[in-house]
Amino acid sequence: MGNEIQPHNQRPAAVWSSGGSAYDKISRGIADSIEHCVLRLDPQPGERILDLSTGTGWTSRSVARRGARVTGVDIAADLVAAAQSTAKTEGLAIEYRIGDAESLPFSDGEFDAVVSTCGVMFASRPEAAAAELARVCRKGGRIALTTWLSDSNLFKMFEVMKRYTPPPPNPAPPSPFAWGQTARIRELLGASFELKFEKGVSYYREPSGEAAWNTFSTGYGPTKSLAASLNENKRAELRRDFIAFHDGFPTDLGICVPREYWVTLGVKR
């Protein structure tokens, strides 16, 4: 049990951290799915709840407003700093810590519940993250997760970006979108939790595809870091394709991208 980010997670930590306070606009775009997850978690006043991969703290704030005692943890230092600042501004007593989902700085059974909204699915080593999630949740406690479906429009957005990324190593690392299959979630967590699932759709709304590019290229670490790594021509092509993808979901008022996810609710055995 340690406070440090493991060496293989140093680069992901820097990527996610690059979004800084602007990442809160990304969380705003999934606020409907966050509220769905928190509703199913049903936090109670005084419960000790961990928000795993808290980002800029959107979920932790929602849980804290329901009277729970919340701790938020993330590998990305700049996101944690933004979460601390926002919680202070809103007068919410939330503890935030930098920590690695694969080696959490908490005791066994320390929390009554653990929530992670589109967060733990991006851990580099899913088995380790799942084991830690189970370890820090007390017997009879709860987990609530949202994870993007493996064929969701969020996955398809990543496929647009994938065309501009270097080939993965061989063997390739696990896909975060494997968490978008209930069979895989059962593999990871079924031995420790009684699991139930509910499907949902999050609606990402912007004035235009260009507005979506501006939001993601400034606040979403994977998109921002990818754009920064490309030469001018390739960056322009990525921008063109990213905008075109989002412009494929037009409404009279702008764009609205339906993004499908699972809510997983588990009770610790």
Side-chain angles (χ1 to χ4, degrees), residues 247-268:
D247 277 340
F249 301 89
T251 74
D252 288 346
L253 302 179
I255 62 162
C256 180
V257 186
R259 303 188 296 191
E260 307 83 357
Y261 62 88
W262 286 111
V263 166
T264 301
L265 189 69
V267 177
K268 181 78 176 290

Side-chain angles (χ1 to χ4, degrees), residues 12-149:
V15 168
W16 289 105
S17 197
S18 68
S21 61
Y23 184 85
D24 215 46
K25 293 181 180 179
I26 302 298
S27 295
R28 180 204 65 201
I30 61 169
D32 49 2
S33 68
I34 290 173
E35 289 306 312
H36 181 183
C37 191
V38 173
L39 173 74
R40 293 312 190 195
L41 177 65
D42 191 23
Q44 298 299 305
E47 280 191 315
R48 185 90 193 269
I49 297 181
L50 174 65
D51 179 22
L52 181 59
S53 303
T54 190
T56 47
W58 196 288
T59 303
S60 64
R61 296 192 295 273
S62 179
V63 174
R65 292 185 195 108
R66 289 161 170 80
R69 295 181 295 152
V70 186
T71 300
V73 66
D74 203 286
I75 62 172
D78 287 355
L79 302 190
V80 170
Q84 289 171 326
S85 176
T86 302
K88 183 177 180 181
T89 298
E90 296 190 13
L92 295 170
I94 302 171
E95 177 190 5
Y96 289 105
R97 298 178 66 170
I98 297 168
D100 192 321
E102 299 167 16
S103 181
L104 289 168
F106 306 112
S107 302
D108 294 359
E110 186 167 337
F111 295 96
D112 298 303
V114 183
V115 62
S116 186
T117 51
C118 306
V120 70
M121 66 180 287
F122 288 98
S124 301
R125 297 178 178 174
E127 286 81 6
E132 281 293 272
L133 193 160
R135 181 183 66 79
V136 302
C137 184
R138 67 168 175 82
K139 184 176 181 179
R142 313 183 304 291
I143 59 166
L145 314 176
T146 58
T147 54
W148 299 113
L149 260 64

Side-chain angles (χ1 to χ4, degrees), residues 181-188 197:
Q181 303 167 357
T182 56
R184 177 57 170 154
I185 298 172
R186 289 191 188 279
E187 284 180 2
L188 291 167
F197 304 98

